[in-house]
Amino acid sequence: MSERSEQVIDTWCTTIHTLGRQNAKKEKSLRYMQKDGKFPVMFQQAPGDWTTYWIDIFTSLVEIRWRMMFLIFSLNNIVSWLLFGLCYWLIAHVNGDSDNADDDLCVSNVRDFTGAFLFSMETGATIGYGYRYVTENSIVAIIVVTIQTVFSCLLDTVVIGVVVAKMASARKRAQTVGFSRCAVVNLRDRVLCLSWRLGDFRGNHILEGVVRVQLIRYVKRPVGSLVITYQDLDIEEREIVLATPTTIIHKLEPGSPLYNMGPDNLRDNRFELVVSFTYTGDSTGILHQTRASYTSADIRWGQRFQDMLKMGKKHYKVDFSLFNVTTWVPVPFLSAEEYNRKGRPADGTTLIPIGKRNRHIAQVNININEEMILQTFL
């Protein structure tokens, strides 16, 4: 190998090594969607403000944190017991139960507010100790007991419904279905492709789901406003059987928004790939969605995912420790447009190793001249 070639190879290796550090700095910029699928969006002066949350109170209760939900329902029970206890005390006070005989009481053994509160709590919680009970001496007390019983049943129904909905939340199931931490660009059938992994970490496999990918671009205008555009990306297979981890593939062909992007200008473009997998849980029948996003800093050019599926005697074996592991592969560091314009290499083209990084071997096609390599990174 000539001295000039060795210098080119060393330059390429150094560039690959520093590329990750440069992209890591860009990762600190604000993302359109976070890695866990949440959107860092804050609404200001939204129409209706808190009114919209009260109109759909059930959804609001499902979405709040557990500690807030327990606090709200605890306060609801205590406040309702106090209010109904106040009603029973007023009934006893108007009837003069503090001075009446036991046979003339509206509520047996309720002569002050403490007794009224305890009777209210026993009625609302359906404890029924039997020491305090309503008598037929006051129709008003009977009506109040009836109202409190119905209200308590309604409140218990709401609590049970919210707890069940929160426990069966789609977000919980979505945490067991995940995308790979990075995306890779490599050759498949001599076509440059962008790909990433999708896997289900539970034993009850998903037999049907739909994948969708959108390219998000956001550009700041001189006046300070932000313009966001959305563009769907074509992938090879949208409907997936997720019995084993699969690889989602987007071909960098004419019509793709990434067709003219190479490793040199990829990190200079401000975009984000928002990927989602929508499926129905076989255990609950609830519709779930798992989301992730990839910025230019998450795309590794010239790498592929390591194989994680093996065949045993009775089972297919999946090694999830390799789910996010990538290795170098022979890929020209050119955009798909340049790669197609200059001509795809024929089968059997000689490849030469250009060095090692993190115990992975990177290779380059010798049909790509040295000037082309230098122009890619300089």
Side-chain angles (χ1 to χ4, degrees), residues 165-182:
K166 287 182 71 66
M167 294 181 65
S169 175
R171 299 174 185 174
K172 304 300 181 183
R173 181 64 177 98
Q175 293 177 0
T176 61
V177 178
F179 291 95
S180 57
R181 288 195 296 265
C182 66

Side-chain angles (χ1 to χ4, degrees), residues 73 76-77 80 150-160:
F73 283 116
N76 283 341
N77 280 294
S80 65
V150 174
F151 177 79
S152 299
C153 292
L154 179 62
L155 186 60
D156 291 341
T157 303
V158 174
V159 172
I160 295 172

Side-chain angles (χ1 to χ4, degrees), residues 238-294:
R238 290 189 177 274
E239 297 183 359
I240 294 177
V241 176
L242 203 59
T244 59
T246 185
T247 302
I248 314 300
I249 302 172
H250 167 68
K251 293 184 177 180
L252 303 181
E253 295 180 328
S256 170
L258 305 176
Y259 181 64
N260 60 351
M261 292 187 188
D264 54 343
N265 58 5
L266 180 68
R267 59 182 182 271
D268 297 328
N269 282 269
R270 187 172 179 82
F271 70 91
E272 191 167 337
L273 291 175
V274 175
V275 298
S276 64
F277 179 55
T278 305
Y279 53 95
T280 301
D282 56 349
S283 301
T284 60
I286 299 176
L287 190 67
H288 304 269
Q289 186 180 74
T290 299
R291 300 187 296 263
S293 70
Y294 301 102

Side-chain angles (χ1 to χ4, degrees), residues 100-270:
N100 290 345
D102 293 340
D103 296 338
D104 297 330
L105 298 179
C106 295
V107 180
S108 180
N109 297 305
V110 173
R111 299 179 179 274
D112 52 18
F113 181 76
T114 303
F117 174 76
L118 291 175
F119 174 72
S120 175
M121 182 175 62
E122 293 171 12
T123 303
T126 63
I127 297 175
Y129 290 126
Y131 181 71
R132 299 178 181 87
Y133 53 90
V134 66
T135 65
E136 66 277 7
N137 295 330
S138 175
I139 188 63
V140 178
I142 297 175
I143 294 175
V144 174
V145 169
T146 304
I147 295 174
Q148 184 180 8
T149 303
V150 174
F151 177 79
S152 299
C153 292
L154 179 62
L155 186 60
D156 291 341
T157 303
V158 174
V159 172
I160 295 172
V162 171
V163 171
V164 172
K166 287 182 71 66
M167 294 181 65
S169 175
R171 299 174 185 174
K172 304 300 181 183
R173 181 64 177 98
Q175 293 177 0
T176 61
V177 178
F179 291 95
S180 57
R181 288 195 296 265
C182 66
V184 297
V185 176
N186 49 43
L187 286 173
R188 290 176 177 269
D189 298 327
R190 295 194 298 168
V191 177
L192 280 173
C193 298
L194 172 69
S195 59
W196 57 93
R197 265 180 174 165
L198 172 65
D200 181 10
F201 309 132
R202 288 181 62 91
N204 51 339
H205 304 296
I206 299 169
L207 300 182
E208 184 178 0
V210 179
V211 177
R212 184 181 181 185
V213 189
Q214 277 193 325
L215 179 71
I216 311 296
R217 296 181 186 270
Y218 29 98
V219 181
K220 289 185 178 180
R221 289 183 174 180
V223 294
S225 60
L226 189 67
V227 178
I228 300 179
T229 60
Y230 309 86
Q231 185 176 359
D232 289 329
L233 266 64
D234 293 328
I235 55 179
E236 284 194 342
E237 297 292 339
R238 290 189 177 274
E239 297 183 359
I240 294 177
V241 176
L242 203 59
T244 59
T246 185
T247 302
I248 314 300
I249 302 172
H250 167 68
K251 293 184 177 180
L252 303 181
E253 295 180 328
S256 170
L258 305 176
Y259 181 64
N260 60 351
M261 292 187 188
D264 54 343
N265 58 5
L266 180 68
R267 59 182 182 271
D268 297 328
N269 282 269
R270 187 172 179 82

Side-chain angles (χ1 to χ4, degrees), residues 13-25 263-264 266-267 296-297 299-301 328 333 377:
C13 291
T14 304
T15 305
I16 294 173
H17 183 67
T18 58
L19 189 61
R21 291 184 297 178
Q22 293 175 353
N23 288 340
K25 295 180 180 179
D264 54 343
L266 180 68
R267 59 182 182 271
S296 58
I299 299 177
R300 300 178 182 178
W301 198 284
W328 292 104
F333 274 60
F377 293 101

Side-chain angles (χ1 to χ4, degrees), residues 308-378:
M308 55 185 300
L309 181 63
K310 296 181 180 180
M311 181 181 293
K313 293 183 178 180
K314 296 183 178 180
H315 303 90
Y316 292 98
K317 299 180 180 180
V318 180
D319 186 2
F320 271 102
S321 64
L322 302 176
F323 187 73
N324 294 295
V325 179
T326 61
T327 183
W328 292 104
V329 290
V331 175
F333 274 60
L334 299 170
S335 67
E337 182 181 17
E338 294 174 325
Y339 174 64
N340 293 336
R341 187 174 63 249
K342 296 180 183 298
R344 298 177 181 178
D347 294 337
T349 302
T350 306
L351 298 173
I352 58 175
I354 66 167
K356 294 184 179 180
R357 284 294 180 269
N358 298 327
R359 294 179 296 178
H360 298 309
I361 298 178
Q363 295 176 313
V364 60
N365 193 325
I366 62 174
N367 288 348
I368 302 175
N369 55 43
E370 299 169 0
E371 289 76 9
M372 189 183 304
I373 297 175
L374 288 177
Q375 289 175 2
T376 303
F377 293 101
L378 299 181

